Amino acid sequence: MDTMAVVKELADERDMTLFQLAQLCRVNYSTLKNAEDRHGQLNVDTIERICIGLHMPMSSFFAISERRSMQ
């Protein structure tokens, strides 16, 4: 599961940069940038903050992730 790919997709859908998304969701930008640069995964706490900031259930986040993995 590529959680950063989902985060980037969510930011793109909203015409936001990762920095703007981080500010909106109260996540350290460095957390997102480091995960992006290292092709790493985000922890559940960070995903939860992103979901809260975007007013979406975590189940939707993981549904997007699942859909992306099936492509």
Side-chain angles (χ1 to χ4, degrees):
M1 173 183 348
D2 188 353
T3 55
M4 271 311 298
V6 175
V7 170
K8 287 192 268 185
E9 181 178 325
L10 292 170
D12 288 345
E13 287 175 357
R14 291 160 176 78
D15 293 323
M16 299 174 80
T17 64
L18 284 181
F19 182 77
Q20 291 168 324
L21 183 73
Q23 287 184 314
L24 175 70
C25 298
R26 298 178 188 206
V27 173
N28 287 328
Y29 172 67
S30 62
T31 300
L32 300 182
K33 190 64 179 151
N34 288 338
E36 179 183 39
D37 291 346
R38 295 187 177 123
H39 304 288
Q41 301 302 317
L42 297 171
N43 65 38
V44 174
D45 292 334
T46 302
I47 294 169
E48 182 178 35
R49 284 179 178 229
I50 290 168
C51 290
I52 289 169
L54 296 178
H55 305 286
M56 68 183 287
M58 285 182 70
S59 59
S60 295
F61 182 95
F62 289 109
I64 294 167
S65 179
E66 182 66 26
R67 180 192 48 145
R68 289 184 63 82
S69 68
M70 297 177 98
Q71 293 178 346

